[in-house]
Amino acid sequence: MERVFNFAPGPSALPLSVLERAQQEMTCCSGSGMSVMEMSHRSPAYQQIYDNAVARLRELMHIPEEYAVLFMHGGATLEFAAVPLNLTRNGRADYIDSGNFAHVAAVEAQKYTNPVIVASSREDNYAYIPDWRGKLSPDADYVHITTNNTIYGTRYVELPDTGSVPLVADMSSNILSEPYDVTRFGAIYAGVQKNIGPSGAAVLIVRRDLLGHAAPVCPKLLDWALQDKNGSMINTPNTWAIYLCGLCLEWLQEQGGVEAIEKVNIEKAKLLYDYLDESRLFRPTAQKEFRSRMNVTFVTGDAELDAQFVKEAKAAGLVNLKGHRSVGGMRASIYNAMPFEGVQALVTFMKRFEAAR
Amino acid sequence: MERVFNFAPGPSALPLSVLERAQQEMTCCSGSGMSVMEMSHRSPAYQQIYDNAVARLRELMHIPEEYAVLFMHGGATLEFAAVPLNLTRNGRADYIDSGNFAHVAAVEAQKYTNPVIVASSREDNYAYIPDWRGKLSPDADYVHITTNNTIYGTRYVELPDTGSVPLVADMSSNILSEPYDVTRFGAIYAGVQKNIGPSGAAVLIVRRDLLGHAAPVCPKLLDWALQDKNGSMINTPNTWAIYLCGLCLEWLQEQGGVEAIEKVNIEKAKLLYDYLDESRLFRPTAQKEFRSRMNVTFVTGDAELDAQFVKEAKAAGLVNLKGHRSVGGMRASIYNAMPFEGVQALVTFMKRFEAAR
């Protein structure tokens, strides 16, 4: 079968050249006579793969030396616990509730600190980023945000100024899609299965002066300082995911890096939103000011018609366009690995679908 | 380059036919037009892959319906925390200290319960399984054992009778290598990177009546009851690892299952131990009665000669034979995926090495 255009929100499309490279190296990686999955994580050959992945991420995001770059188990959800387990001092943390995952992060934090939801757009089905201005506490241990909201298709266009309070960001769905000034953050984490690689791991970028205060009940694998001391290898890491992430990061460098891919991402999103704004059939659901460049949510207003669209699109090789049940309708996730041609194909199909109604 | 015989303790050798299948399906899995890594974990196609893996494990280990079978993040080390986080009631747990990982599990448990080391062979460098008889408390919440000790090359030849106290086993390094009566256990867990698949996940087999008592500080991903309710998908699981495990489990069924592979494993271990027992150069380090069938540890008694052996073996395509620093010398890990021919090649090489001295 031919490859499809895969608009899944995560796990999501990977660059074909990366898959082909992994395919080629499957039974013998780097002249080792074995698959990367069969390599000891303590071997020089694997250490090289790990070091390269970390170095590429550092280069791509211009991460200063005073930040640790780690690969963690379990995706962003495990970091929802790890954040308060590692950063709680005074026992208050400010959470900006801009979507489902932001909310879930705050709920998980209740086990370890007092997470205060200082601003929320929950009552408006998260159609925008709520206004946090004047609501942040100087005594908070950290301020937690979700830079891009996968389900609702919204994105922070401005970062909160948190002064000396560390800003902590879940960047799962837009890391590496646009440049961020890492020095604005105390910590950045991201499940890798959307914009970096396959599922089952998270990257963590954390300012080292924040390390060393893990709670007594923190499982050792979630202890950021201990992971930093052990180069992400307290135990066997997800060696395959780190390898694949390395290949994807190399691919991103070949595309010209984050600054270059941002231009493509802006073009991709513009093509789709421009059509949605002029369409008489489809309507975008996120407030214009806060539109995500990664997840584009839209509806026809008729659930049956939505379902028909998703079905016909699938038959045309445009798959995983069904929206999350919280929003309904459709969602096109157009991460870095989605080529411009994929979005073109989608818009062409949508125009044809609209014309036929 | 040709494939080598890989004696690594984990991550370790995988069946070549499994790697070739994964290679073939890399850009298009099950006619989906995408890699398995690009599939939504909520899609019917992926659910089928997950369900098949669970069903195959159930068949291979004859797991009764009253046990949940789950895939967890992070390997066995995260379960070292999850065990006390899920099973603590009275606040005492008995740990049998038969090796490094058994010890580390008890240390991690100190965060959540009172782990009592009831028997230990630590002072004898874990050369045998310590005797637990008459030392177990009827008030313990559980008894924790490590059925096979990867580093020291020892194995329980008899399981403790714990009465109504649940027996919990870390089976990372010998799961599926020999039949176990699952009903003897309250819970079994295993990092999958030794005998089931690649790294970054663990399987958990737990009697459902033990579920539902997670501690308030338990991160949600470590909550066994919640994972059971969500079919291992509270968040995105390690989809690649589960897929690969499924392929390895299918391969094991093709070999005739656990009962059949046990015969091969006994033959493999016998070939190597028989030679070690007659060799004038090499000496096995584990006490005869407790010899592991999965990890065979041996030394020459001369550290320089050991290093020379490891180096020459590597040049001959027999790799990762260096022993763990705690034991020194050599270790041949001969899990299910190591063919009989690999052990034959090793013994032939050892004989030649000995003859040349």
Side-chain angles (χ1 to χ4, degrees), chain B residues 37-352:
Chain B
M37 289 181 281
E38 302 172 289
M39 285 183 183
S40 168
H41 56 299
R42 308 284 183 202
S43 65
Y46 190 75
Q47 189 65 50
Q48 187 71 47
I49 288 168
Y50 174 87
D51 290 344
N52 280 348
V54 169
R56 290 184 196 283
L57 190 61
R58 281 195 180 277
E59 283 172 37
L60 282 162
M61 292 183 71
H62 314 294
I63 303 170
E65 268 310 309
E66 63 263 32
Y67 285 76
V69 175
L70 302 169
F71 280 92
M72 307 289 283
H73 288 285
T77 304
L78 210 47
E79 298 311 303
F80 294 168
V83 167
L85 279 165
N86 282 278
L87 297 181
T88 298
R89 311 285 281 271
N90 300 325
R92 173 190 168 135
D94 286 348
Y95 278 73
I96 301 177
D97 178 26
S98 62
N100 175 64
F101 291 114
H103 195 80
V104 169
V107 170
E108 183 76 348
Q110 287 173 354
K111 295 173 182 169
Y112 316 107
T113 187
N114 174 28
V116 179
I117 293 183
V118 290
S120 175
S121 50
R122 189 173 176 83
E123 297 210 341
D124 296 308
N125 206 31
Y126 296 121
Y128 55 88
I129 304 294
D131 192 4
W132 62 82
R133 287 166 188 80
K135 296 171 180 169
L136 303 176
S137 164
D139 300 326
D141 291 322
Y142 58 89
V143 176
H144 184 278
I145 63 168
T146 312
T147 49
N148 185 81
N149 299 285
T150 320
I151 294 176
Y152 307 91
T154 62
R155 159 185 173 269
Y156 278 73
V157 285
E158 188 189 330
L159 293 175
D161 179 357
T162 60
S164 62
V165 176
L167 179 61
V168 175
D170 175 1
M171 247 183 226
S172 295
S173 54
N174 75 331
I175 191 168
L176 294 166
S177 72
E178 59 180 299
Y180 276 102
D181 176 359
V182 172
T183 66
R184 293 283 306 270
F185 299 87
I188 294 168
Y189 65 93
V192 299
Q193 76 279 8
K194 296 174 191 289
N195 229 347
I196 315 183
S199 65
V203 295
L204 170 68
I205 301 159
V206 57
R207 221 173 62 213
R208 285 209 171 92
D209 67 307
L210 298 173
L211 298 180
H213 305 279
V217 295
C218 183
K220 63 193 289 193
L221 289 195
L222 276 63
D223 182 332
W224 292 349
L226 200 61
Q227 284 287 18
D228 184 33
K229 201 179 146 194
N230 287 276
S232 310
M233 296 197 199
I234 294 173
N235 76 331
T236 316
N238 185 338
T239 54
W240 173 260
I242 295 169
Y243 159 74
L244 244 285
C245 287
L247 296 186
C248 289
L249 294 169
E250 187 176 348
W251 171 85
L252 184 51
Q253 288 182 315
E254 288 161 7
Q255 310 308 303
V258 176
E259 291 75 9
I261 206 94
E262 182 193 32
K263 293 202 182 91
V264 180
N265 287 331
I266 289 173
E267 285 303 307
K268 279 153 55 184
K270 185 174 183 318
L271 184 67
L272 191 43
Y273 283 120
D274 280 355
Y275 166 64
L276 286 170
D277 283 336
E278 73 184 28
S279 168
R280 284 161 299 109
L281 183 66
F282 299 106
R283 176 174 62 76
T285 64
Q287 282 191 11
K288 197 162 187 171
E289 184 187 348
F290 301 106
R291 284 176 176 172
S292 168
R293 295 169 184 165
M294 296 286 103
N295 313 96
V296 180
T297 51
F298 54 99
V299 296
T300 63
D302 174 344
E304 271 185 44
L305 194 58
D306 288 346
Q308 184 66 20
F309 174 81
V310 169
K311 193 179 159 190
E312 290 186 22
K314 185 179 174 186
L318 305 164
V319 308
N320 288 321
L321 281 163
K322 190 179 173 192
H324 190 275
R325 65 181 179 282
S326 320
V327 180
M330 281 71 70
R331 170 178 46 179
S333 294
I334 51 175
Y335 300 115
N336 286 353
M338 173 60 66
F340 189 77
E341 294 69 36
V343 183
Q344 275 182 317
L346 173 60
V347 171
T348 302
F349 179 81
M350 289 170 79
K351 285 181 179 169
R352 200 177 308 143

